[in-house]
Amino acid sequence: MFGLKRLIIPGVDKRLLARDATKMLPDPSRRRFLAGGASLGALTLLTGCDVVDQVSAEKLLVQISKFNDAVQAAIFDPEQLAPSFPESAITRPFPFNAFYSLDEAPRVDGDQYRLEISGLVGDKSSWSLAQLAQLPQQTQITRHVCVEGWSAIGSWTGVPLREFLQRIGADLRANYVWFRCADGYTSPIDMPTALHPQTQITLGFDGTTLPRAYGYPIKIRIPTKLGFKNPKYVVSLEVTNDYKGGYWEDQGYNSFSGL
Ligand SMILES: Nc1nc2c(c(=O)[nH]1)N[C@H]1C(S)=C(S)[C@@H](COP(=O)(O)O)O[C@H]1N2
Ligand SMILES: [Mo]
C-alpha cells in the first residue's frame, strides 16, 4: 500500500516493536494512524533492522518518519477544510518566527521582485508582484500552528495556489511543488496539498500588504499544515517529481506535517 518492502526482523518481538514504534509517532499522526485503521502489523514491515544499537535505532526512527509521511498522505482528505474563525479571533500582534531574529529577516524590493517558475509547467514566465496582485484573491482567517509550541489565528489574503498552478499549465500529476525563499529557506509541498482549496499564494495580511515580518512580498499559506510548511519570502516555485528536501525537513521534521 505504501510501497514498502516486506522485511523480516530477526530476533525482535514484532508486536512489542510495533507497540513501541506506535508510541514514537507524534500524536496527531498516531491518532490518524489508529483512526485510519492501519494495522500495527503494517508498522513492523518497515523495520528491516535489529534494534540493538544506536545506529539501527536511528534507522528505525528514519523509517518511522517516512512511514508517518506515507500514512498522513494516504489519510489526507484533499477537500477537508481547516477551521475558519471570525475577525474577533485574530491574534494581534501576530507572532514572528524564523530560524533567525526579526532584524535579520530579508528586505525584498517589491518593485524588482519576480516569482521565478520552473519545472513541469507549460509557461515558465516569471511573475511580478503587480501581475500577481491582478489575479483573483481570497481571504482566510485560520490558525497557524508552530511545532515550537505556539499557535495563532491570522487573516491572509491571496491567490489560491491551485488556480495559479492551473493558469501556468503546471503538471498537476507531479509529486511536489518546491519553494525557495530569499533567506535560503526551502520547503517541498505534496501536490494534493498544493491543490487544496485553502492553500494560497499570500500577498496580504490582516487587511494590509503582507508585512516584512510575515514574508513580504509573498508567502505560501497552508492552513492544513504545520507552520514550518508555510514558506515566507518565496522567490521561486518549481513543479517536480523529485523530493528536494527543505530547511526543517532535512533536520528530521516529517515532510507531510499535516494538522
Ligand atoms: N523563509 C522562511 N519561511 C519560514 C520560516 C523561515 O525561517 N524562513 N519559518 C517557518 C516557521 S517554523 C514558522 S512557525 C512560520 C512563522 O511565520 P510567521 O512569522 O508569519 O508567524 O514561518 C515558516 N516559514
Ligand atoms: Mo514553526
Side-chain angles (χ1 to χ4, degrees):
M1 178 184 183
F2 304 117
L4 306 172
K5 274 193 252 158
R6 271 181 182 272
L7 295 165
I8 306 153
I9 312 156
V12 172
D13 183 320
K14 287 186 193 180
R15 290 176 60 185
L16 288 180
L17 187 61
R19 205 184 57 192
D20 288 352
T22 307
K23 281 190 207 142
M24 284 152 70
L25 291 170
D27 190 50
S29 51
R30 191 177 66 223
R31 269 187 285 116
R32 285 175 185 228
F33 173 68
L34 296 171
S39 71
L40 293 185
L43 207 46
T44 64
L45 301 179
L46 284 166
T47 49
C49 51
D50 218 343
V51 186
V52 290
D53 55 21
Q54 207 193 331
V55 174
S56 56
E58 269 166 24
K59 208 169 135 196
L60 174 70
L61 278 171
V62 169
Q63 295 286 38
I64 289 170
S65 160
K66 285 185 186 157
F67 179 72
N68 193 8
D69 273 351
V71 169
Q72 287 205 33
I75 298 170
F76 180 67
D77 177 347
E79 297 297 326
Q80 172 81 49
L81 296 183
S84 286
F85 298 87
E87 284 202 24
S88 59
I90 294 173
T91 307
R92 298 188 180 97
F94 194 85
F96 161 84
N97 197 30
F99 62 91
Y100 43 71
S101 60
L102 180 53
D103 51 305
E104 293 169 274
R107 294 173 194 277
V108 179
D109 179 347
D111 297 331
Q112 298 296 314
Y113 175 82
R114 295 286 182 280
L115 174 63
E116 303 295 338
I117 308 292
S118 64
L120 305 169
V121 294
D123 184 353
K124 291 181 181 154
S125 310
S126 60
W127 287 70
S128 70
L129 213 43
Q131 286 171 313
L132 288 170
Q134 274 165 19
L135 300 175
Q137 314 275 315
Q138 252 177 28
T139 294
Q140 60 172 278
I141 301 176
T142 50
R143 186 187 297 277
H144 171 118
V145 180
C146 175
V147 278
E148 286 170 45
W150 58 272
S151 87
I153 292 169
S155 168
W156 290 272
T157 299
V159 184
L161 182 60
R162 167 156 79 180
E163 282 165 36
F164 184 77
L165 291 173
Q166 284 164 350
R167 192 175 288 263
I168 64 173
D171 180 355
L172 304 182
R173 295 158 312 172
N175 291 336
Y176 303 100
V177 182
W178 189 59
F179 297 100
R180 285 195 292 171
C181 308
D183 56 1
Y185 197 86
T186 52
S187 193
I189 308 301
D190 55 287
M191 186 60 82
T193 299
L195 299 177
H196 185 276
Q198 287 170 307
T199 299
Q200 175 188 92
I201 299 179
T202 300
L203 302 156
F205 180 80
D206 204 3
T208 61
T209 301
L210 185 67
R212 178 171 147 253
Y214 310 132
Y216 181 83
I218 66 164
K219 71 173 271 173
I220 306 299
R221 173 65 190 141
I222 310 181
T224 56
K225 290 249 193 259
L226 285 170
F228 83 91
K229 301 291 296 184
N230 289 239
K232 309 193 287 183
Y233 321 105
V234 170
V235 294
S236 80
L237 175 163
E238 179 174 343
V239 177
T240 173
N241 281 320
D242 304 326
Y243 179 73
K244 303 209 164 181
Y247 183 86
W248 289 114
E249 291 84 346
D250 294 350
Q251 298 178 51
Y253 283 85
N254 284 116
S255 186
F256 195 83
S257 285
L259 285 175

